[in-house]
Amino acid sequence: MTDTQFSKPLIYMLIGSAIILALSLGIRHGFGLYLVPMSDEFGWGHNVFSLAIAMQNLIWGAVQPITGAFADKYGSKIVVAVGGLLYALGLLMMAFSSTGLMLNLSAGLILGLALSATSFPVLLSAVGRAAHPEKRSLAMGIASAAGSFGQFIMLPSTLLLLQNIGWSAALMVSAILAALIIPLAWMLKAPMYSAPSAQSLENKPSLGFKDILIIAKNHKPFWFLALGFLVCGFQVVFIGIHLPGYLIDHGFSAATGTIFLALVGLFNIFGTYGAGWLGGKFSKPHLLMWLYGLRGIAIIAFLMLPLSAWTIYAFGAIMGLLWLSTVPLTNGIVANMFGVKYLSMLSGIVFFTHQVGSFFGGWLGGLNHDMTGNYNMVWALSLVLSILGVLMHFFVTEEHVIHD
């Protein structure tokens, strides 16, 4: 076996990571379908549900560096198992939420904590540590792509549950599925990749958390990368949560929004895998510039063309290709900059800015709708942020600050 082939432990970890991501992100991807039925039943404006989801994303991002540090120190499997337990608990509590406070506690706080332990920063960092540097971007892309399949499967399943048993029972079924993450966490045990020349570095002093944080703090390309990731968070959460409601406002059924989100999940499989593969061959910052630029063009086309089922589904397919393609590229850049020893923590810091964008994308969408009856201002802001995303990555490099 050559150094660039995937080892059996890594393949085992890829399978486990993919299933966990499929469950975690697949369930989360369907949250937008609950906005209208829950808001209608309790007489909420869109802002109540939107604020809870926005809080979820902010808490997720705020604790992600801490969760990542625990995963770096104690191992990913323990952190992911705890996250699976919290995920099931949060969904059960959400199923019985009849007030904004209860919704913020369950969907906001508990699910935010759960997602910090069961999503990309922790799982892709575990994969990145076990993969050969030349195959790291591809391995992350494979895990992301396979995980994206869950988003495709869960959307129609969630809609069927909502239509047949109601939103509360649908959340209870989702809680049972989330509990499967707990045993799956024990598949995350591949050893860290060690280069053949690593023996010559045995006497090199080891850097601690504080040392790494100081180095990262003073590395400007790291912060430009983080600012670019803010754009991603804003756009995907705004569209993922509010597009179904936007379509209902324009006379389309809930099924149309579900098909849109399912197409995003389906084409996200190809987008994330393709981004991981391309990231091993071309400049990752340049690829990210293209991704953010193409997102802006896709949004302009969607808003300018007559709204029909075909334009909606085409927008879903295009956005799916661009949806989470940023993730393996961004995590790959962080790994190239600082190595993989503290990758979960450093990816978590970058991911925090993503979640700040997610907070505003989710919250401002609901606020804009409640104040004006439309989403025009947030669509315009999404376009401005696409330009910002392109500009930020002009200043990002993959220079090795710390070697593996």
Side-chain angles (χ1 to χ4, degrees):
M1 179 181 289
T2 67
D3 284 341
T4 57
Q5 290 177 320
F6 290 160
S7 64
K8 287 184 179 179
L10 176 57
I11 293 172
Y12 188 70
M13 174 180 278
L14 280 172
I15 294 170
S17 298
I19 299 172
I20 292 167
L21 286 170
L23 290 168
S24 177
L25 300 180
I27 293 169
R28 173 186 174 268
H29 196 57
F31 283 162
L33 301 180
Y34 292 92
L35 185 152
V36 173
M38 290 188 73
S39 298
D40 288 348
E41 179 164 335
F42 298 113
W44 298 334
H46 285 200
N47 187 44
V48 174
F49 188 91
S50 299
L51 180 61
I53 298 300
M55 287 300 298
Q56 175 192 107
N57 283 285
L58 189 62
I59 291 166
W60 178 2
V63 301
Q64 189 67 72
I66 301 170
T67 307
F70 273 105
D72 288 332
K73 186 171 184 179
Y74 300 109
S76 299
K77 64 181 181 181
I78 296 174
V79 170
V80 172
V82 173
L85 179 62
L86 288 173
Y87 211 142
L89 176 63
L91 288 167
L92 283 174
M93 291 179 63
M94 186 178 173
F96 296 98
S97 295
S98 58
T99 66
L101 178 61
M102 190 67 175
L103 189 65
N104 273 281
L105 177 62
S106 57
L109 176 61
I110 296 177
L111 289 181
L113 293 172
L115 284 162
S116 75
T118 59
S119 57
F120 287 122
V122 170
L123 288 157
L124 293 193
S125 296
V127 170
R129 277 191 289 269
H132 187 284
E134 292 180 9
K135 293 294 183 180
R136 187 175 293 147
S137 180
L138 178 60
M140 290 180 174
I142 290 172
S144 301
S148 299
F149 185 69
Q151 299 180 40
F152 172 64
I153 292 296
M154 288 300 296
L155 263 297
S157 303
T158 300
L159 180 63
L160 286 173
L161 290 172
L162 285 167
Q163 290 176 336
N164 289 284
I165 62 176
W167 63 266
S168 183
L171 285 168
M172 287 188 264
V173 172
S174 296
I176 295 171
L177 293 174
L180 296 176
I181 293 173
I182 300 170
L184 286 167
W186 264 255
M187 295 179 73
L188 308 177
K189 56 182 182 180
M192 179 175 170
Y193 173 80
S194 179
S197 59
Q199 291 181 349
S200 62
L201 301 175
E202 283 182 353
N203 297 324
K204 186 177 179 179
S206 178
L207 295 172
F209 282 117
K210 185 177 180 180
D211 302 315
I212 295 291
L213 288 172
I214 291 172
I215 293 170
K217 177 184 175 183
N218 295 320
H219 190 56
K220 290 182 179 179
F222 177 72
W223 295 107
F224 283 120
L225 180 68
L227 284 173
F229 217 22
L230 180 147
V231 177
C232 179
F234 185 98
Q235 292 175 334
V236 299
V237 169
F238 166 60
I239 293 172
I241 294 299
H242 293 288
L243 205 284
Y246 173 83
L247 296 177
I248 290 173
D249 286 348
H250 286 79
F252 293 89
S253 67
T256 305
T258 302
I259 294 171
F260 168 85
L261 292 175
L263 285 170
V264 168
L266 176 62
F267 282 86
N268 191 30
I269 298 169
F270 305 105
T272 49
Y273 175 81
W277 179 76
L278 289 170
K281 297 179 177 296
F282 302 101
S283 164
K284 295 179 189 66
H286 290 170
L287 290 171
L288 286 167
M289 288 168 58
W290 276 102
L291 285 173
Y292 288 115
L294 289 171
R295 275 192 193 180
I297 294 170
I299 292 172
I300 291 172
F302 176 68
L303 296 176
M304 292 186 66
L305 291 171
L307 198 60
S308 69
W310 291 109
T311 57
I312 292 166
Y313 299 153
F315 184 54
I318 293 169
M319 286 304 298
L321 291 172
L322 308 171
W323 195 251
L324 295 179
S325 303
T326 58
V327 173
L329 297 174
T330 301
N331 281 274
I333 291 172
V334 175
N336 286 347
M337 286 178 173
F338 302 105
V340 297
K341 184 175 181 181
Y342 297 110
L343 182 56
S344 295
M345 178 182 68
L346 294 171
S347 294
I349 292 172
V350 175
F351 188 72
F352 173 63
T353 61
H354 181 283
Q355 295 308 94
V356 170
S358 298
F359 172 85
F360 285 107
W363 176 56
L364 290 179
L367 185 64
N368 185 199
H369 186 274
D370 285 352
M371 292 179 66
T372 66
N374 59 57
Y375 294 101
N376 293 345
M377 292 298 295
V378 185
W379 280 120
L381 184 54
S382 293
L383 290 173
V384 172
L385 288 174
S386 282
I387 298 171
L388 178 67
V390 173
L391 293 176
M392 287 299 99
H393 288 91
F394 269 117
F395 305 101
V396 176
T397 67
E398 296 187 73
E399 173 189 1
H400 296 288
V401 181
I402 300 172
H403 293 271
D404 290 338

